Every structure is written in structure tokens, then in C-alpha cells.
Amino acid sequence: QVRLVESGGGLVQAGDSLRLSCAASSRTSSSTTMGWFRQVPGKEREFVGAVRWSGGHTYYADSVKGRFTISKDNSQNTIFLRMSNLKPEDTAVYYCAARFSTRIILSAIHQSSQYDSWGQGTQVTVSS
């Protein structure tokens, strides 16, 4: 079973930056998509962004566009989420997600149901 291991969460102040990492235990393929979601208690898991392993195209939720950046390290099967200008409303548990073997169509890339591997989650808290 594929494991996704996240790291990098913590407590920061509004306006600060933070970088999350997600390392995959499985080898990626040209069909792999990896992404980030976040969730606060009582709400559904929310799409943050995703990256295609082939080509490196990235996609973001409107709420984070221009502030968050996803990058990847092919050699380490790892993706990163660089979060800048953090706001209190960014406070959530952040989850790494992946689908390794079959490509997710673009119109569904924001849907959590499309991903079949999940990390344990890491807490990000932004104080005002």
C-alpha cells in the first residue's frame, strides 16, 4: 500500500510563510497526480491545489491562487506546498493526496474522491 508522509505544519502568524512536504513511498508514473486538500472541523475537505507528475502543470483553488505554490522533486517522489502571506482562514489540517496509476481528468482534479492515497494530515494554524 502506498504511503504518503507529510511534514512541515505548525503555528505561524498572519503574513508568515510555511512549507509542507509530502513524500510518497510508491514510484510515480506519467499518469500520477498529487495534490493538497485541507479540512476544518465540521466542514468538507477542500481542494487546495494539485500537480501533474508529467509536465509539472499545477492547479490551484481560487482562495490560494497567488499565495500558495506547489512544486515537486522527481528524484524523491516528493511534493511541496509553499504557503505565503498566510491568513487565519488558512488554518486547517492539510492532507496530501495522490492517484498514481491512472490520470485524473482536469475537470475532476479538485474532487477528493478522485484520489486513492492519503497522508495522515498536518495541522497548520495561523494566528491573527
Side-chain angles (χ1 to χ4, degrees), residues 77-99:
N77 290 335
T78 298
I79 65 169
F80 306 95
L81 178 66
R82 173 72 174 176
M83 304 182 289
S84 301
N85 190 21
L86 281 160
K87 304 176 181 180
E89 51 264 43
D90 294 318
T91 294
V93 177
Y94 283 71
Y95 294 92
C96 177
R99 193 161 98 183

PDB file of all heavy atoms in Angstrom, residues 77-99:
ATOM      1  N   ASN A  77      10.299  11.608  -5.195  1.00  0.00           N
ATOM      2  CA  ASN A  77       8.846  11.343  -5.177  1.00  0.00           C
ATOM      3  C   ASN A  77       8.164  12.202  -4.115  1.00  0.00           C
ATOM      4  O   ASN A  77       7.324  11.710  -3.335  1.00  0.00           O
ATOM      5  CB  ASN A  77       8.561   9.860  -4.923  1.00  0.00           C
ATOM      6  CG  ASN A  77       8.946   8.989  -6.097  1.00  0.00           C
ATOM      7  OD1 ASN A  77       8.995   9.439  -7.229  1.00  0.00           O
ATOM      8  ND2 ASN A  77       9.257   7.735  -5.808  1.00  0.00           N
ATOM      9  N   THR A  78       8.513  13.468  -4.093  1.00  0.00           N
ATOM     10  CA  THR A  78       8.036  14.381  -3.053  1.00  0.00           C
ATOM     11  C   THR A  78       7.438  15.626  -3.677  1.00  0.00           C
ATOM     12  O   THR A  78       7.953  16.132  -4.676  1.00  0.00           O
ATOM     13  CB  THR A  78       9.200  14.775  -2.131  1.00  0.00           C
ATOM     14  OG1 THR A  78       9.713  13.605  -1.495  1.00  0.00           O
ATOM     15  CG2 THR A  78       8.753  15.762  -1.069  1.00  0.00           C
ATOM     16  N   ILE A  79       6.354  16.084  -3.088  1.00  0.00           N
ATOM     17  CA  ILE A  79       5.807  17.381  -3.478  1.00  0.00           C
ATOM     18  C   ILE A  79       5.862  18.325  -2.286  1.00  0.00           C
ATOM     19  O   ILE A  79       5.949  17.890  -1.122  1.00  0.00           O
ATOM     20  CB  ILE A  79       4.369  17.290  -4.029  1.00  0.00           C
ATOM     21  CG1 ILE A  79       3.392  16.819  -2.952  1.00  0.00           C
ATOM     22  CG2 ILE A  79       4.323  16.416  -5.257  1.00  0.00           C
ATOM     23  CD1 ILE A  79       1.927  16.977  -3.374  1.00  0.00           C
ATOM     24  N   PHE A  80       5.818  19.603  -2.591  1.00  0.00           N
ATOM     25  CA  PHE A  80       5.891  20.640  -1.574  1.00  0.00           C
ATOM     26  C   PHE A  80       4.739  21.617  -1.783  1.00  0.00           C
ATOM     27  O   PHE A  80       4.298  21.845  -2.910  1.00  0.00           O
ATOM     28  CB  PHE A  80       7.213  21.388  -1.669  1.00  0.00           C
ATOM     29  CG  PHE A  80       8.419  20.497  -1.619  1.00  0.00           C
ATOM     30  CD1 PHE A  80       9.020  20.046  -2.792  1.00  0.00           C
ATOM     31  CD2 PHE A  80       8.951  20.089  -0.402  1.00  0.00           C
ATOM     32  CE1 PHE A  80      10.122  19.225  -2.751  1.00  0.00           C
ATOM     33  CE2 PHE A  80      10.054  19.268  -0.355  1.00  0.00           C
ATOM     34  CZ  PHE A  80      10.642  18.827  -1.533  1.00  0.00           C
ATOM     35  N   LEU A  81       4.285  22.182  -0.684  1.00  0.00           N
ATOM     36  CA  LEU A  81       3.297  23.247  -0.747  1.00  0.00           C
ATOM     37  C   LEU A  81       3.896  24.443  -0.022  1.00  0.00           C
ATOM     38  O   LEU A  81       4.024  24.434   1.205  1.00  0.00           O
ATOM     39  CB  LEU A  81       1.986  22.832  -0.092  1.00  0.00           C
ATOM     40  CG  LEU A  81       0.889  23.905  -0.070  1.00  0.00           C
ATOM     41  CD1 LEU A  81       0.428  24.230  -1.492  1.00  0.00           C
ATOM     42  CD2 LEU A  81      -0.303  23.452   0.783  1.00  0.00           C
ATOM     43  N   ARG A  82       4.271  25.439  -0.805  1.00  0.00           N
ATOM     44  CA  ARG A  82       4.816  26.660  -0.234  1.00  0.00           C
ATOM     45  C   ARG A  82       3.646  27.619  -0.027  1.00  0.00           C
ATOM     46  O   ARG A  82       2.969  27.999  -0.981  1.00  0.00           O
ATOM     47  CB  ARG A  82       5.841  27.272  -1.176  1.00  0.00           C
ATOM     48  CG  ARG A  82       6.356  28.644  -0.738  1.00  0.00           C
ATOM     49  CD  ARG A  82       7.266  28.558   0.458  1.00  0.00           C
ATOM     50  NE  ARG A  82       7.857  29.864   0.774  1.00  0.00           N
ATOM     51  CZ  ARG A  82       8.640  30.090   1.817  1.00  0.00           C
ATOM     52  NH1 ARG A  82       8.943  29.094   2.644  1.00  0.00           N
ATOM     53  NH2 ARG A  82       9.135  31.283   2.034  1.00  0.00           N
ATOM     54  N   MET A  83       3.409  28.013   1.213  1.00  0.00           N
ATOM     55  CA  MET A  83       2.292  28.896   1.556  1.00  0.00           C
ATOM     56  C   MET A  83       2.842  30.230   2.020  1.00  0.00           C
ATOM     57  O   MET A  83       3.637  30.274   2.967  1.00  0.00           O
ATOM     58  CB  MET A  83       1.438  28.251   2.653  1.00  0.00           C
ATOM     59  CG  MET A  83       0.927  26.862   2.279  1.00  0.00           C
ATOM     60  SD  MET A  83      -0.113  26.119   3.542  1.00  0.00           S
ATOM     61  CE  MET A  83       1.123  25.771   4.792  1.00  0.00           C
ATOM     62  N   SER A  84       2.451  31.278   1.349  1.00  0.00           N
ATOM     63  CA  SER A  84       2.926  32.619   1.686  1.00  0.00           C
ATOM     64  C   SER A  84       1.739  33.506   2.056  1.00  0.00           C
ATOM     65  O   SER A  84       0.593  33.209   1.715  1.00  0.00           O
ATOM     66  CB  SER A  84       3.654  33.239   0.499  1.00  0.00           C
ATOM     67  OG  SER A  84       4.754  32.449   0.107  1.00  0.00           O
ATOM     68  N   ASN A  85       2.057  34.596   2.750  1.00  0.00           N
ATOM     69  CA  ASN A  85       1.013  35.543   3.156  1.00  0.00           C
ATOM     70  C   ASN A  85      -0.176  34.799   3.785  1.00  0.00           C
ATOM     71  O   ASN A  85      -1.333  35.000   3.411  1.00  0.00           O
ATOM     72  CB  ASN A  85       0.550  36.370   1.960  1.00  0.00           C
ATOM     73  CG  ASN A  85      -0.342  37.531   2.350  1.00  0.00           C
ATOM     74  OD1 ASN A  85      -0.318  37.967   3.502  1.00  0.00           O
ATOM     75  ND2 ASN A  85      -1.146  37.998   1.423  1.00  0.00           N
ATOM     76  N   LEU A  86       0.144  33.963   4.746  1.00  0.00           N
ATOM     77  CA  LEU A  86      -0.894  33.147   5.354  1.00  0.00           C
ATOM     78  C   LEU A  86      -1.908  33.984   6.107  1.00  0.00           C
ATOM     79  O   LEU A  86      -1.575  35.031   6.693  1.00  0.00           O
ATOM     80  CB  LEU A  86      -0.258  32.126   6.291  1.00  0.00           C
ATOM     81  CG  LEU A  86       0.345  30.914   5.573  1.00  0.00           C
ATOM     82  CD1 LEU A  86       1.356  30.196   6.455  1.00  0.00           C
ATOM     83  CD2 LEU A  86      -0.753  29.957   5.135  1.00  0.00           C
ATOM     84  N   LYS A  87      -3.150  33.528   6.080  1.00  0.00           N
ATOM     85  CA  LYS A  87      -4.254  34.215   6.729  1.00  0.00           C
ATOM     86  C   LYS A  87      -4.877  33.282   7.771  1.00  0.00           C
ATOM     87  O   LYS A  87      -4.771  32.052   7.645  1.00  0.00           O
ATOM     88  CB  LYS A  87      -5.310  34.582   5.684  1.00  0.00           C
ATOM     89  CG  LYS A  87      -4.783  35.421   4.532  1.00  0.00           C
ATOM     90  CD  LYS A  87      -5.850  35.654   3.487  1.00  0.00           C
ATOM     91  CE  LYS A  87      -5.306  36.481   2.315  1.00  0.00           C
ATOM     92  NZ  LYS A  87      -6.344  36.711   1.288  1.00  0.00           N
ATOM     93  N   PRO A  88      -5.550  33.840   8.765  1.00  0.00           N
ATOM     94  CA  PRO A  88      -6.202  32.977   9.764  1.00  0.00           C
ATOM     95  C   PRO A  88      -7.160  31.969   9.130  1.00  0.00           C
ATOM     96  O   PRO A  88      -7.297  30.852   9.641  1.00  0.00           O
ATOM     97  CB  PRO A  88      -6.941  33.986  10.647  1.00  0.00           C
ATOM     98  CG  PRO A  88      -6.111  35.223  10.560  1.00  0.00           C
ATOM     99  CD  PRO A  88      -5.613  35.262   9.148  1.00  0.00           C
ATOM    100  N   GLU A  89      -7.790  32.329   8.027  1.00  0.00           N
ATOM    101  CA  GLU A  89      -8.724  31.403   7.382  1.00  0.00           C
ATOM    102  C   GLU A  89      -8.027  30.245   6.672  1.00  0.00           C
ATOM    103  O   GLU A  89      -8.686  29.328   6.179  1.00  0.00           O
ATOM    104  CB  GLU A  89      -9.637  32.142   6.390  1.00  0.00           C
ATOM    105  CG  GLU A  89      -8.914  33.019   5.402  1.00  0.00           C
ATOM    106  CD  GLU A  89      -8.864  34.472   5.838  1.00  0.00           C
ATOM    107  OE1 GLU A  89      -8.605  34.744   7.041  1.00  0.00           O
ATOM    108  OE2 GLU A  89      -9.055  35.350   4.956  1.00  0.00           O
ATOM    109  N   ASP A  90      -6.699  30.268   6.626  1.00  0.00           N
ATOM    110  CA  ASP A  90      -5.949  29.131   6.094  1.00  0.00           C
ATOM    111  C   ASP A  90      -5.744  28.046   7.153  1.00  0.00           C
ATOM    112  O   ASP A  90      -5.215  26.972   6.850  1.00  0.00           O
ATOM    113  CB  ASP A  90      -4.579  29.583   5.577  1.00  0.00           C
ATOM    114  CG  ASP A  90      -4.681  30.507   4.376  1.00  0.00           C
ATOM    115  OD1 ASP A  90      -5.509  30.242   3.487  1.00  0.00           O
ATOM    116  OD2 ASP A  90      -3.918  31.500   4.348  1.00  0.00           O
ATOM    117  N   THR A  91      -6.127  28.340   8.377  1.00  0.00           N
ATOM    118  CA  THR A  91      -5.993  27.366   9.450  1.00  0.00           C
ATOM    119  C   THR A  91      -6.819  26.120   9.137  1.00  0.00           C
ATOM    120  O   THR A  91      -8.009  26.206   8.850  1.00  0.00           O
ATOM    121  CB  THR A  91      -6.463  27.974  10.781  1.00  0.00           C
ATOM    122  OG1 THR A  91      -5.574  29.040  11.134  1.00  0.00           O
ATOM    123  CG2 THR A  91      -6.468  26.930  11.885  1.00  0.00           C
ATOM    124  N   ALA A  92      -6.159  24.956   9.176  1.00  0.00           N
ATOM    125  CA  ALA A  92      -6.819  23.701   8.833  1.00  0.00           C
ATOM    126  C   ALA A  92      -5.822  22.560   9.004  1.00  0.00           C
ATOM    127  O   ALA A  92      -4.624  22.796   9.203  1.00  0.00           O
ATOM    128  CB  ALA A  92      -7.316  23.721   7.384  1.00  0.00           C
ATOM    129  N   VAL A  93      -6.331  21.351   8.905  1.00  0.00           N
ATOM    130  CA  VAL A  93      -5.466  20.194   8.731  1.00  0.00           C
ATOM    131  C   VAL A  93      -5.247  20.022   7.230  1.00  0.00           C
ATOM    132  O   VAL A  93      -6.225  19.960   6.474  1.00  0.00           O
ATOM    133  CB  VAL A  93      -6.078  18.924   9.335  1.00  0.00           C
ATOM    134  CG1 VAL A  93      -5.175  17.714   9.068  1.00  0.00           C
ATOM    135  CG2 VAL A  93      -6.293  19.096  10.839  1.00  0.00           C
ATOM    136  N   TYR A  94      -4.014  19.966   6.835  1.00  0.00           N
ATOM    137  CA  TYR A  94      -3.667  19.844   5.422  1.00  0.00           C
ATOM    138  C   TYR A  94      -3.305  18.390   5.120  1.00  0.00           C
ATOM    139  O   TYR A  94      -2.484  17.782   5.823  1.00  0.00           O
ATOM    140  CB  TYR A  94      -2.505  20.772   5.082  1.00  0.00           C
ATOM    141  CG  TYR A  94      -2.945  22.208   4.942  1.00  0.00           C
ATOM    142  CD1 TYR A  94      -3.324  22.941   6.071  1.00  0.00           C
ATOM    143  CD2 TYR A  94      -3.015  22.828   3.699  1.00  0.00           C
ATOM    144  CE1 TYR A  94      -3.758  24.253   5.957  1.00  0.00           C
ATOM    145  CE2 TYR A  94      -3.437  24.138   3.570  1.00  0.00           C
ATOM    146  CZ  TYR A  94      -3.812  24.840   4.695  1.00  0.00           C
ATOM    147  OH  TYR A  94      -4.250  26.152   4.582  1.00  0.00           O
ATOM    148  N   TYR A  95      -3.911  17.874   4.057  1.00  0.00           N
ATOM    149  CA  TYR A  95      -3.710  16.491   3.651  1.00  0.00           C
ATOM    150  C   TYR A  95      -3.069  16.431   2.267  1.00  0.00           C
ATOM    151  O   TYR A  95      -3.484  17.154   1.352  1.00  0.00           O
ATOM    152  CB  TYR A  95      -5.038  15.741   3.589  1.00  0.00           C
ATOM    153  CG  TYR A  95      -5.724  15.573   4.916  1.00  0.00           C
ATOM    154  CD1 TYR A  95      -6.649  16.510   5.368  1.00  0.00           C
ATOM    155  CD2 TYR A  95      -5.449  14.469   5.726  1.00  0.00           C
ATOM    156  CE1 TYR A  95      -7.290  16.359   6.589  1.00  0.00           C
ATOM    157  CE2 TYR A  95      -6.089  14.302   6.937  1.00  0.00           C
ATOM    158  CZ  TYR A  95      -7.006  15.253   7.364  1.00  0.00           C
ATOM    159  OH  TYR A  95      -7.629  15.101   8.576  1.00  0.00           O
ATOM    160  N   CYS A  96      -2.115  15.553   2.142  1.00  0.00           N
ATOM    161  CA  CYS A  96      -1.544  15.226   0.849  1.00  0.00           C
ATOM    162  C   CYS A  96      -2.353  14.085   0.259  1.00  0.00           C
ATOM    163  O   CYS A  96      -2.787  13.179   0.990  1.00  0.00           O
ATOM    164  CB  CYS A  96      -0.094  14.812   1.036  1.00  0.00           C
ATOM    165  SG  CYS A  96       0.737  14.301  -0.466  1.00  0.00           S
ATOM    166  N   ALA A  97      -2.564  14.117  -1.051  1.00  0.00           N
ATOM    167  CA  ALA A  97      -3.331  13.080  -1.729  1.00  0.00           C
ATOM    168  C   ALA A  97      -2.663  12.736  -3.048  1.00  0.00           C
ATOM    169  O   ALA A  97      -1.936  13.556  -3.618  1.00  0.00           O
ATOM    170  CB  ALA A  97      -4.757  13.561  -1.967  1.00  0.00           C
ATOM    171  N   ALA A  98      -2.945  11.528  -3.529  1.00  0.00           N
ATOM    172  CA  ALA A  98      -2.331  11.101  -4.787  1.00  0.00           C
ATOM    173  C   ALA A  98      -3.176  10.050  -5.476  1.00  0.00           C
ATOM    174  O   ALA A  98      -3.925   9.310  -4.845  1.00  0.00           O
ATOM    175  CB  ALA A  98      -0.930  10.539  -4.528  1.00  0.00           C
ATOM    176  N   ARG A  99      -3.062  10.047  -6.773  1.00  0.00           N
ATOM    177  CA  ARG A  99      -3.524   8.910  -7.561  1.00  0.00           C
ATOM    178  C   ARG A  99      -2.382   8.601  -8.504  1.00  0.00           C
ATOM    179  O   ARG A  99      -1.971   9.475  -9.294  1.00  0.00           O
ATOM    180  CB  ARG A  99      -4.806   9.185  -8.323  1.00  0.00           C
ATOM    181  CG  ARG A  99      -5.426   7.888  -8.860  1.00  0.00           C
ATOM    182  CD  ARG A  99      -6.869   8.069  -9.189  1.00  0.00           C
ATOM    183  NE  ARG A  99      -7.053   8.304 -10.616  1.00  0.00           N
ATOM    184  CZ  ARG A  99      -8.232   8.558 -11.153  1.00  0.00           C
ATOM    185  NH1 ARG A  99      -9.301   8.660 -10.395  1.00  0.00           N
ATOM    186  NH2 ARG A  99      -8.343   8.742 -12.454  1.00  0.00           N
TER     187      ARG A  99
END
